[in-house]
């Protein structure tokens, strides 16, 4: 499926959602309110402690916004398809994605694209832009380009995590509980991972590299004079697309092994 056809599917989904504007607006307002409350909790926490392991309110707001923004972008394409995949397989509805002259992966994602994440994107992007003007750093063209690339890579990495879990549906069928574990793990990167023990930092860096979504890009932007920050900052730009490609190959492997609802 090419980009033009994919965009056509997404446009149709957006038009169908806009038929119920009231429900869409209420849902968006609810999501924005929920995330605004999360920001408020972090802000109140920083009023008592000033900093968390040397990170100020504006720096943590940047860190948290980068996490939410990349998740919203990645999940727009992958959350609903991957969470629904187990039931789609059990009901036998997955067969229709294999009978079209299209890539089953992109066809499946396009068919279940979720425009509802626009609310996440709006609030996280607004706070991110605000925090950029508040953090104490010298913004250069290179850093701005790096930030854009970090957002792209982080979005790929967020999507990769969802696709990997969804791929397991081809083997275990019922995997929705794994999404709950994934989101619990993601709560750790709401704050700088430097506040955790060495073992957990290693897990979040090299085993389940969620820290590559926002922590390492942030420390690269805040202080690129440290060699370690530079190296891990560059790794963060590569690991997202690489992780998504590997998750795609895993998903396609499962799809190729699929033998129907009974198999």
């Amino acid at each position: 499926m090419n980009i033009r056809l994919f965009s056509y599917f997404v446009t149709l989904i957006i038009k169908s959602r806009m038929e119920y504007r009231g429900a869409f607006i209420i849902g968006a307002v609810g999501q924005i309110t929920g995330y605004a409350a999360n920001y408020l909790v972090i802000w109140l926490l920083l009023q008592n402690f000033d900093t968390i392991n040397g990170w100020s309110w504006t720096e943590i707001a940047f860190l948290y916004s980068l996490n939410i923004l990349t998740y919203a972008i990645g999940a727009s394409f992958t959350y609903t398809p991957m969470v629904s995949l187990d039931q789609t397989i059990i009901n036998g509805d997955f067969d229709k994605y294999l009978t079209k002259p299209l890539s089953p992966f992109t066809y499946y994602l396009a068919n279940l694209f979720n425009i509802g994440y626009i609310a996440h994107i709006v609030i996280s992007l607004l706070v991110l832009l605000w925090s950029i003007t508040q953090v104490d750093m010298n913004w250069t063209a290179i850093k701005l380009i790096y930030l854009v690339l970090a957002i792209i890579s982080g979005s790929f990495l967020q999507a990769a995590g969802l696709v990997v879990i969804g791929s397991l549906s081809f083997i275990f069928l019922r995997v929705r509980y794994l999404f709950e574990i994934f989101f619990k793990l993601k709560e750790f990167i709401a704050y700088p991972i430097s506040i955790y023990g060495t073992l957990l930092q290693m897990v979040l860096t090299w085993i389940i590299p969620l820290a590559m979504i926002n922590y390492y890009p942030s420390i690269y932007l805040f202080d690129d004079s440290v060699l370690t920050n530079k190296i891990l900052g560059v790794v963060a730009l590569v690991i997202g697309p690489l992780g998504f490609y590997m998750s795609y190959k895993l998903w396609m492997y499962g799809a190729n092994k699929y033998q129907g609802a009974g198999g």
Side-chain angles (χ1 to χ4, degrees), residues 173-232:
L173 292 183
R174 300 290 188 181
V175 297
R176 295 199 178 193
Y177 65 94
L178 294 178
F179 288 100
E180 297 178 9
I181 296 175
F182 176 71
F183 289 122
K184 287 295 182 182
L185 286 173
K186 268 173 47 64
E187 291 179 4
F188 285 107
I189 63 172
Y191 299 95
I193 67 166
S194 56
I195 67 175
Y196 308 123
T198 303
L199 179 60
L200 184 55
Q201 289 186 44
M202 291 181 63
V203 170
L204 294 174
T205 300
W206 302 115
I207 300 177
I208 307 174
L210 296 175
M212 295 293 178
I213 294 170
N214 62 343
Y215 178 71
Y216 290 112
S218 295
I219 62 173
Y220 173 89
L221 290 168
F222 295 153
D223 187 5
D224 60 356
S225 64
V226 180
L227 180 60
T228 304
N229 292 359
K230 284 186 176 181
I231 294 173
L232 291 174

Side-chain angles (χ1 to χ4, degrees), residues 47-84:
Q47 298 310 298
N48 293 326
F49 298 100
D50 293 329
T51 64
I52 296 179
N53 199 231
W55 288 63
S56 66
W57 152 241
T58 52
E59 290 171 335
I60 293 181
F62 179 91
L63 182 81
Y64 187 67
S65 297
L66 195 56
N67 177 27
I68 300 304
L69 178 59
T70 54
Y71 168 72
I73 296 172
S76 296
F77 296 92
T78 58
Y79 176 75
T80 301
M82 295 306 138
V83 170
S84 306

Side-chain angles (χ1 to χ4, degrees), residues 124-181:
S124 59
L125 184 58
L126 288 175
V127 178
L128 183 70
L129 293 174
W130 169 82
S131 63
I132 285 175
T133 65
Q134 300 298 314
V135 292
D136 184 18
M137 76 164 71
N138 294 320
W139 284 98
T140 63
I142 293 177
K143 285 191 173 183
L144 289 173
I145 293 172
Y146 177 88
L147 176 58
V148 172
L149 294 176
I151 291 172
I152 294 172
S153 181
S155 301
F156 272 120
L157 192 54
Q158 298 265 19
L162 297 172
V163 173
V164 166
I165 298 174
S167 302
L168 298 178
S169 299
F170 292 111
I171 303 173
F172 303 109
L173 292 183
R174 300 290 188 181
V175 297
R176 295 199 178 193
Y177 65 94
L178 294 178
F179 288 100
E180 297 178 9
I181 296 175

Side-chain angles (χ1 to χ4, degrees), residues 109-134:
L109 296 191
N111 199 51
L112 294 175
F113 176 81
N114 190 345
I115 191 181
Y117 281 99
I118 189 66
H120 298 64
I121 293 174
V122 169
I123 187 170
S124 59
L125 184 58
L126 288 175
V127 178
L128 183 70
L129 293 174
W130 169 82
S131 63
I132 285 175
T133 65
Q134 300 298 314

